[in-house]
Amino acid sequence: MLILGLNMFHADASAAIVHDGEVVFAIAEERLNRHKHFGGFPALAVKACLDAVGANISDVEHVAVGQDSDANLAKKIRYAMANPSKVLNFIRLRQRKEAMRDVRSLLAKALDVDPSSLRFQEHHLEHHLAHIASAYYCSPWEKAAGFSYDGSGDFVSTMMARCEGNDIEVLQRVFLPHSLGSVYTMICEFIGYTKYGDEGKVMGLAPYGRDTYCQQIDKIVTLKDGGFQLDLSYFKPLGSNQGMQILPDGTVRLARHFSDRMEKMFGEPRRPYSEISRRDMDLAFALQHRFEEVFFHLLHKLQKQVPCDDLAMAGGCALNSVANGRLFERTPFRHTYIQPAAGDEGLAIGAALHTYHSVLKQPRLHQLKHAYLGPEFSESRIESSLKKAGLDHRRLERTFLLDTTAEQIAEGKVVGWFQGHMEWGPRALGNRSIVAHPGLPNMKDVLNARIKHREWFRPFAPSILAEYQHEYFEHDHPSPFMLHVYKIRPEKRKALCAVNHVDDTGRLQTVTREENAMYYDLISAFHKKTGLPVILNTSFNENEPIVCTPEEAIDCFQRTRMDVLAIGPFLVTKEAGNQS
Ligand SMILES: [Fe+2]
């Protein structure tokens, strides 16, 4: 049975295909149309899903969308009625959503087929339920607490649930305008990070700050028995100009979230790209601090309702890897499962799996143990791309390729590493990665100057052989999808100086041979040469979505000052006359 899952007309539009309950292929539209965070209809992603399983849309029995504009309708209407100036806007939004609900026509048009040939049944699932489904149904557990939080989705910002067997029972929702994600976005905007998805940058800035504004920020979001609430005087009113907009070309644009009260309280907002002041760092610190306090408060409440060790979690805020790393000490939960696409692209697999397990009552037989659900490319395709680009290249046997690449990394070279299936989710996890030596003091500056051009305060991440995690980090809980930040042990900080953040932490990826044999063997080869079971791993891109195809990887290699490209079995070096 084939089920197609969709996240459409929402940020990070995506598609996923589930075959007899197993997610076999999933991809965000941005990787194919090269439009970052694209929020339109994922036409290319749908085609890629069907191609991956050799099916036509007429073979698909169910299509599931991770959005339901009828969900929480009473709450929306009540809000609109209490805020009459927003009624028109509310009606406009609803009309637009209605037009987008015609999934049958949208798919027929995208695939150029007759709508009458489509036999699928259509399902719409509330946003946060799809988030929780994406985590729980991919997890190994028969029972777990389910938690989802983000800016907003179907008028909800937070959901808590009891997950058991095939069922997810919603225990609580926090409705808009109260949203922890919106608090994060609002303060990010105030300190000059105004683009969709900038929240991760501010998380990296936070440890440079001090406790100057914690008291003030604490007042913006206060704890309640039932959850939390915002002091709305710091925000533009919901429904006026606040929130996220999807433009007709699929661009995701954030409107200004903060009100004049923020300026009265903290002075002028920082202009994007201007110098970062002590005030901005201290605000980032206070924001991250309050975010965690509220998060832990919610998790305590959830654990009381669902007493267990296991937490299945999703939503854009679940990408806050610092909070994820601390929750083991601050809450009673002992294990987390966060699937690699915890943000909105993950809705596609959540909606599809919910249809399979909850609607159709099919058994749970598959876990998602790795993130490699995207396209892969044949050796002949890679070779012809290299020839077309005029690059001298050598084909190496597997062991020799691993050994030579590890040698180059050990010598301080910056290596593009393109292998196998592309990752699902925002992190490069060793198949579309740029890799480098984690222990060279200047490596962060080299990477930034030559390729990444990132803000000075953003750390690079380590990939570590899983069995060495306890020797290097103060936490044992695995982090296969780079979604946890842990303290690096004091005696290892110097050896990992290029991935050791200012607060002596690292956002690690634990690598097992079962999940990714090629990447595991590369780190092992580096380990043999240097004694370090760790390499620096950053995404293979330069201010663009992560590369997907060999041509995009080669183009990125040629236009940046990367030293080496290991692509499939081929090795390319700049020294061989392949200058950029
Ligand atoms: Fe979401």
Side-chain angles (χ1 to χ4, degrees), residues 127 131 150 152 315-316 344:
H127 185 100
H131 270 317
D150 62 13
S152 72
D344 285 340

Side-chain angles (χ1 to χ4, degrees), residues 10 127-128 131 148-153 156 196 314-317 342-345 347:
H10 196 87
H127 185 100
H128 284 275
H131 270 317
S148 170
Y149 66 146
D150 62 13
S152 72
V156 169
Y196 182 80
C317 294
D344 285 340
E345 68 268 52
L347 296 169

Side-chain angles (χ1 to χ4, degrees), residues 278-297:
R278 166 59 48 197
R279 193 265 329 245
D280 304 324
M281 293 179 202
D282 291 351
L283 276 173
F285 177 91
L287 168 65
Q288 178 66 26
H289 180 263
R290 191 55 173 166
F291 177 87
E292 289 172 20
E293 291 294 324
V294 179
F295 176 47
F296 300 145
H297 169 78

Side-chain angles (χ1 to χ4, degrees), residues 392-412:
D392 285 340
H393 54 279
R394 284 184 294 157
R395 189 189 186 290
L396 304 179
E397 289 307 315
R398 189 179 188 276
T399 315
F400 196 42
L401 177 79
L402 291 167
D403 191 68
T404 313
T405 308
E407 185 65 40
Q408 300 272 0
I409 301 169
E411 284 173 13

Side-chain angles (χ1 to χ4, degrees), residues 8-11 13 29 33 35-43 93 96 100 106 109 244-253:
M8 58 186 213
F9 300 115
H10 196 87
E29 186 75 0
N33 71 3
H35 185 152
K36 210 161 168 54
H37 297 302
F38 179 77
F41 186 74
L93 267 177
R96 187 164 170 251
M100 290 164 184
L106 289 161
K109 191 175 164 214
M244 185 178 82
Q245 262 180 298
I246 309 285
L247 303 183
D249 71 347
T251 301
V252 179
R253 195 169 67 188

